[in-house]
């Protein structure tokens, strides 16, 4: 008799915490949703996991894997709830966090407010030391001043100390000495060394990334320690792995060492889940649209490859780490509709969140939201969300829309509700154009994968405005981010700067750097007890034309670089540059900036069992009046769980399920594919 082996994925959103339970032997998938607990996200994961285990009558010891997508890091940065951080840096560079770069988002705004630095000026301490651009020590570290600096920060009771010296990535001796002195003084604050966090050139970005990690470290450690303890209370002995911004997962211990890697944990899970669903349907070119309760995240995937970036700003603080290239806007089910001072209707970015939530929740919310508008238009079931576990009160939705929107603008309730939908759809279209049209891709060549609790409600409307012809709605769209957590690999990234012309690179030095990065990758794989046949190590190079200030990352096929590999990389870079920017300069020098090594622990993918084939047409469970562009119509309502492989539905129709609702507008046609996804063809 085979023992059951269960995997659990839990994704924490702004409104709901989504969970998926997968049994390896039977390939059976169960889904669950619970309200998010903003004060302590671990409570939501704990209660959801407990309910999943109890409802499915499984033993906690049968849970062999648990992964989560978390908003702890991003929330701490946005809300300013990071740890108290001190900084020790090279003499003369104390104010670098505020001086920043010369580039300005608003070039002609003389009154633009700079973001507050994560370290107050009184906690930024300079010490005499200097390493030059060749890694040579020019001024030795002043040990007495260093000791005084650490003691000052200890007296200020900082939670973490960031250490960032000029050219530390070439010679980390001084940073290591600071760490040694701190330990000798029994400093309780955690120490964050820049050469370990980001061994790359560009001093401001390296400093900002190091400080961001230091500011998030204690917060992340507290959360993960608490979550691990709560999960253990259930009898689960597995550590809760966490999704990275890169789309790979990592252990709790590594997340505590690199907390900034989890800043875009949640959106990354959705992208991976969307890719998985598209691959099951045999589709390679997609745009994922993840609309939840608070925000919408959009990502372009071409030929099955997820677009990546290596730097983003969070609350004005640049952080360099591999990230899925997601564009986010404040548009979700909880987005609040309001009228600005000019009398124009706006929706978002402010959200009603989980509490008080939309007015129709009946939890005290009085402002109209997107959820309230969908309810008024008949697109949502008045009996409630989550199979009735969360009832909706239509009269409260009407009251909120009338008082805040309809009456002030001289509209009726339906007109105001439709206006709210139109604005959200337009905002989402603009976000989608950023990752497609603005980067040289035609949305018509892609399929839209719409998911999240609110994604299916708006997917086809967004696709129509972009002239896209096809939309995929996954079998469980509301929990796809959680499913993505179970369909990705463990990942660790290593990098080292070597700034030189590519054709003049010292191959001995290049190969020495690659060997060192390889050793770090292998040590990590060993520490995670990864089997040899489950290991993958890839080499990449950040390249640019000489004089540029941005790079393109090009994969390398050889661990040992020779002249032939240099030629291949040069050719590949020219082609990538033309694809990305519309031109290539064959006469320009190609410059090597960083060498990267990507280590993966390959994890098995979930392949659900095919649905049974349909023999009869689907039967609606009821009808209700729904407002479409053409006006109101008595619309058939179908239950998603009743649909089988090959079932076809002509619009207008509404398809309901526990975690989401999918409207099929007039002239749209939906068919259920082999593994349960809805493929909607647009007119």
């Amino acid at each position: 008799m085979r023992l059951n082996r269960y995997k659990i994925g839990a994704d924490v959103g702004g409104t709901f915490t989504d969970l998926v339970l997968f049994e390896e032997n039977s390939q059976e998938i169960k889904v669950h949703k619970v309200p998010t607990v903003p004060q302590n996200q671990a409570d939501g994961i704990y209660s959801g996991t407990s309910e999943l285990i109890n409802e499915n009558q499984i033993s906690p010891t049968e849970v062999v894997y648990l992964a989560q997508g978390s908003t702890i890091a991003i929330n701490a940065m946005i809300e300013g709830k990071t740890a108290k951080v001190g900084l020790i840096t090279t003499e003369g560079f104390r104010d670098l966090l505020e001086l920043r770069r010369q580039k300005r988002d608003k070039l002609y705004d003389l009154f633009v407010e700079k973001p507050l630095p994560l370290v107050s000026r009184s906690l930024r301490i300079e010490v005499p030391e200097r390493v030059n651009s060749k890694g040579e020590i020019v001024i030795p570290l002043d040990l007495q001043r260093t000791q005084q600096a650490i003691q000052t920060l200890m007296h200020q009771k900082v939670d973490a100390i960031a250490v960032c010296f000029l050219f530390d990535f070439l010679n980390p001796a001084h940073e290591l000495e600071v760490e040694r002195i701190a330990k000798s003084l029994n400093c309780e604050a955690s120490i964050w060394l820049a050469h370990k966090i980001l061994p790359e050139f560009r001093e401001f970005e390296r400093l900002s990334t190091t400080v961001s990690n230091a500011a998030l470290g204690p917060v992340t450690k507290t959360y993960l320690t608490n979550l691990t303890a709560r999960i253990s209370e259930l009898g689960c002995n597995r550590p809760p792995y966490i999704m990275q911004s890169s789309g790979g997962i990592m252990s709790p211990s590594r997340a505590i060492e690199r907390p900034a890697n989890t800043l875009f944990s949640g959106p990354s899970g959705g992208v991976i889940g969307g890719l998985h669903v598209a691959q099951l349907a045999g589709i390679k070119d997609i745009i994922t649209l993840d609309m939840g309760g608070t925000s919408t995240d959009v990502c372009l995937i071409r030929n099955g490859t997820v677009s990546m970036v290596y730097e983003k700003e969070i609350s004005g603080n640049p952080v360099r780490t591999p990230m899925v290239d997601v564009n986010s806007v404040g548009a979700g089910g909880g987005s609040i509709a309001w009228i600005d001072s000019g009398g124009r209707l706006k929706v978002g970015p402010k959200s009603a969140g989980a509490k008080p939530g939309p007015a129709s929740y009946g939890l005290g919310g009085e402002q109209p939201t997107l959820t309230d508008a969908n309810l008024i238009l008949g697109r949502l079931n008045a009996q409630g969300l989550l199979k009735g576990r969360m009832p909706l009160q239509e009269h409260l939705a009407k009251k909120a829309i009338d008082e805040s929107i309809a009456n002030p603008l001289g509209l009726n309730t339906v007109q105001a509700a439709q206006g709210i939908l139109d604005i959200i759809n337009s905002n989402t279209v603009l976000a989608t154009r950023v990752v497609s049209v603005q980067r040289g891709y035609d949305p018509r060549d892609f399929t839209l994968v719409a998911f999240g609790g609110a994604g299916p409600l708006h997917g086809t409307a967004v696709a129509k405005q972009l002239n896209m012809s096809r939309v995929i709605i996954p079998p469980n769209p509301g929990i796809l981010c959680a499913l993505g957590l179970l369909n990705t690999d463990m990942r660790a990234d290593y990098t080292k700067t070597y700034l030189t012309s590519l054709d003049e690179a010292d191959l001995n030095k290049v190969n020495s750097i690659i060997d060192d990065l390889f050793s770090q990758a292998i040590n990590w794989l060993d520490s995670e007890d990864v089997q040899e046949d489950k290991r993958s190590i890839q080499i990449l190079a950040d390249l640019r034309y000489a004089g540029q200030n941005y790079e393109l990352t090009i994969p390398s096929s050889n661990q040992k670089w020779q002249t032939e590999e240099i030629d291949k990389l040069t050719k590949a870079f020219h082609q990538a540059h033309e694809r990305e920017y519309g031109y290539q300069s064959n006469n320009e020098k190609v410059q090597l900036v960083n060498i990267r090594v990507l280590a993966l622990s390959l994890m098995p993918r979930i392949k659900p069992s095919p649905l049974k084939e349909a023999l009869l047409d689907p039967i609606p469970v009821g009808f209700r009046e729904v407002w479409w562009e053409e006006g109101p119509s008595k619309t058939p309502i179908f239950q998603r769980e009743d649909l089988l492989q090959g079932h076809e539905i002509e619009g207008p129709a509404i398809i309901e399920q526990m975690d989401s609702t999918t409207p099929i507008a007039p002239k749209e046609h939906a068919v259920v594919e082999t593994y349960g996804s809805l493929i909607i063809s647009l007119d």
Side-chain angles (χ1 to χ4, degrees):
M1 178 180 177
R2 289 189 300 179
L3 296 176
N4 291 326
R5 291 172 55 86
Y6 291 96
K7 293 183 175 182
I8 295 177
D11 178 67
V12 181
T15 306
F16 292 106
T17 294
D18 307 324
L19 299 102
V20 58
L21 177 71
F22 173 73
E23 205 288 304
E24 288 186 347
N25 298 320
S26 65
Q27 301 286 299
E28 187 177 11
I29 295 175
K30 298 289 182 67
V31 299
H32 193 60
K33 278 173 116 49
V34 295
T36 290
V37 182
Q39 302 84 353
N40 187 356
Q41 293 185 8
D43 288 346
I45 295 178
Y46 171 84
S47 61
T49 303
S50 177
E51 290 173 16
L52 261 182
I53 288 174
N54 293 332
E55 288 177 6
N56 292 279
Q57 298 181 339
I58 68 175
S59 169
T61 58
E62 294 176 314
V63 177
V64 298
Y65 180 79
L66 191 152
Q68 55 156 329
S70 171
T71 59
I72 282 291
I74 190 73
N75 288 350
M77 290 284 279
I78 292 173
E79 297 170 7
K81 296 180 179 179
T82 53
K84 185 177 182 180
V85 180
L87 171 65
I88 297 176
T89 189
T90 304
E91 192 170 44
F93 287 82
R94 173 188 186 186
D95 294 320
L96 183 58
L97 276 179
E98 293 187 74
L99 293 174
R100 304 169 61 83
R101 289 289 181 189
Q102 185 63 33
K103 60 183 180 182
R104 294 157 61 183
D105 293 332
K106 298 179 180 179
L107 189 60
Y108 301 106
D109 188 348
L110 301 180
F111 304 100
V112 65
E113 293 186 13
K114 291 183 179 180
L116 292 175
L118 289 171
V119 186
S120 62
R121 196 169 193 271
S122 63
L123 297 178
R124 303 197 298 260
I125 303 177
E126 300 175 349
V127 295
E129 72 84 38
R130 180 59 69 94
V131 172
N132 66 17
S133 60
K134 297 179 181 179
E136 301 166 341
I137 295 177
V138 178
I139 301 175
L141 177 67
D142 189 318
L143 301 182
Q144 183 177 357
R145 289 274 297 275
T146 299
Q147 181 172 322
Q148 291 172 350
I150 295 172
Q151 289 172 329
T152 298
L153 295 176
M154 290 172 63
H155 180 72
Q156 292 293 328
K157 297 182 179 179
V158 298
D159 301 306
I161 298 175
V163 185
C164 185
F165 292 145
L166 201 63
F167 296 111
D168 53 31
F169 61 95
L170 294 177
N171 186 344
H174 288 171
E175 288 191 355
L176 292 170
E177 185 65 18
V178 174
E179 183 180 43
R180 185 194 65 77
I181 295 173
K183 289 181 179 179
S184 70
L185 295 173
N186 296 318
C187 178
E188 295 182 358
S190 55
I191 308 297
W192 301 80
L193 306 183
H195 79 273
K196 291 184 178 180
I197 298 295
L198 187 69
E200 298 180 15
F201 89 128
R202 294 191 177 104
E203 67 280 2
F204 170 56
E205 287 76 10
R206 187 171 69 257
L207 172 60
S208 179
T209 302
T210 303
V211 167
S212 296
N213 275 278
L216 293 171
V219 177
T220 303
K221 183 177 182 179
T222 299
Y223 165 72
L224 288 175
T225 301
N226 181 30
L227 177 61
T228 301
R230 297 302 306 276
I231 295 300
S232 296
E233 291 175 14
L234 294 174
C236 296
N237 299 319
R238 301 292 177 173
Y241 285 79
I242 188 166
M243 175 66 87
Q244 301 181 66
S245 305
S246 62
I249 57 171
M250 61 180 170
S251 64
S253 59
R254 187 163 178 82
I256 292 171
E257 295 174 356
R258 297 289 188 275
N261 287 14
T262 68
L263 280 165
F264 295 94
S265 172
S268 298
V271 172
I272 300 302
L275 173 61
H276 176 66
V277 165
Q279 288 174 332
L280 288 175
I283 299 172
K284 293 183 177 181
D285 296 331
I286 64 171
I287 296 175
T288 62
L289 172 66
D290 177 7
M291 183 180 289
T294 305
S295 63
T296 294
D297 305 307
V298 185
C299 180
L300 184 141
I301 299 175
R302 185 172 181 270
N303 198 29
T305 301
V306 178
S307 301
M308 301 288 292
V309 294
Y310 289 88
E311 181 181 324
K312 280 189 178 182
E313 280 197 6
I314 297 90
S315 298
N317 300 288
V319 175
R320 282 190 64 83
T321 184
M323 307 179 195
V324 170
D325 188 9
V326 170
N327 184 35
S328 301
V329 292
S335 293
I336 294 172
W338 53 288
I339 298 174
D340 69 9
S341 58
R344 294 174 296 183
L345 175 61
K346 299 289 185 71
V347 186
K350 188 176 179 181
S351 172
K355 289 184 180 181
S360 55
Y361 281 13
L363 299 177
E366 297 180 350
Q367 295 174 295
T369 67
L370 181 61
T371 295
D372 299 316
N374 275 306
L375 178 61
I376 290 296
L377 295 174
R379 296 155 70 91
L380 287 178
N381 192 334
Q383 293 182 3
L385 307 175
L386 309 182
K387 287 285 186 181
R389 287 194 291 129
M390 181 171 282
L392 300 178
Q393 301 183 45
E394 190 171 356
H395 71 282
L396 293 178
K398 184 178 187 305
K399 181 174 182 290
I401 291 176
D402 285 346
E403 292 181 354
S404 299
I405 306 298
N407 294 341
L409 294 179
L411 304 172
N412 62 41
T413 310
V414 170
Q415 289 172 329
Q418 186 60 55
I420 293 171
L421 261 67
D422 290 343
I423 290 173
I424 280 289
N425 292 338
S426 295
N427 291 344
T428 306
V429 167
L430 291 175
T432 308
R433 289 176 63 87
V434 169
V435 301
S436 56
V437 176
Q438 291 186 20
R439 298 185 185 168
Y441 296 104
D442 188 339
R444 293 174 295 183
D445 298 332
F446 293 79
T447 297
L448 189 71
V449 181
F451 55 94
L457 281 164
H458 300 270
T460 57
V462 170
K464 282 181 179 178
Q465 292 190 42
L466 291 165
N467 293 318
M468 302 173 76
S469 61
R470 186 168 56 181
V471 176
I472 297 178
I473 308 296
N476 301 109
I479 56 88
L480 192 68
C481 290
L483 187 64
L485 297 168
L486 304 182
N487 282 286
T488 190
D489 304 313
M490 289 183 64
R491 172 172 175 153
D493 292 85
Y494 302 91
T495 182
K496 182 75 172 178
T497 288
Y498 178 32
L499 198 58
T500 182
S501 293
L502 186 58
D503 60 357
E504 298 174 1
D506 182 340
L507 293 180
N508 289 328
K509 185 172 182 179
V510 167
N511 289 321
S512 175
I513 292 173
I514 292 175
D515 288 343
D516 178 58
L517 297 177
F518 244 78
S519 295
Q520 294 180 52
I522 291 172
N523 289 339
W524 171 73
L525 291 166
D526 289 341
S527 69
E528 297 291 346
D529 296 323
V530 181
Q531 299 175 11
E532 289 294 333
D533 61 340
K534 301 297 183 183
R535 299 184 177 197
S536 172
I537 301 179
Q538 304 169 21
I539 303 171
L540 307 103
D542 290 350
L543 305 176
R544 67 183 185 185
Y545 289 124
Q548 288 182 328
N549 198 35
Y550 52 87
E551 299 85 42
L552 293 176
T553 302
I554 307 299
S556 170
S557 56
N558 290 307
Q559 182 177 347
K560 293 293 183 182
W561 283 15
Q562 302 296 335
T563 304
E564 294 80 5
E565 185 63 20
I566 298 296
D567 294 339
K568 288 181 182 178
L569 287 169
T570 302
K571 182 178 179 181
F573 170 75
H574 287 313
Q575 293 172 344
H577 197 279
E578 182 169 20
R579 184 171 59 249
E580 189 76 13
Y581 300 107
Y583 74 96
Q584 59 176 288
S585 300
N586 292 318
N587 296 326
E588 292 287 341
K589 284 274 190 180
V590 176
Q591 196 173 42
L592 173 64
V593 178
N594 297 311
I595 299 172
R596 299 181 181 275
V597 164
L598 163 61
L600 298 173
S601 170
L602 303 177
M603 308 285 281
R605 300 297 189 259
I606 291 176
K607 187 172 183 179
S609 302
L611 291 184
K612 293 181 180 179
E613 293 188 18
L615 300 177
L616 302 172
D617 291 336
I619 300 174
V621 295
F623 293 82
R624 69 168 175 262
E625 185 176 77
V626 179
W627 287 82
W628 307 96
E629 287 186 10
E630 298 81 357
S633 172
K634 186 177 181 182
T635 301
I637 312 299
F638 297 89
Q639 289 297 317
R640 184 74 180 264
E641 61 194 30
D642 295 336
L643 301 182
L644 302 176
Q645 180 186 161
H647 267 150
E648 298 185 28
I649 297 176
E650 296 287 343
I654 296 287
I655 301 174
E656 296 181 342
Q657 58 193 109
M658 184 277 291
D659 55 332
S660 191
T661 298
T662 304
I664 311 296
K667 299 181 181 179
E668 294 177 359
H669 175 82
V671 61
V672 181
E673 60 89 47
T674 305
Y675 296 102
S677 289
L678 283 173
I679 310 294
I680 304 175
S681 300
L682 310 180
D683 60 334

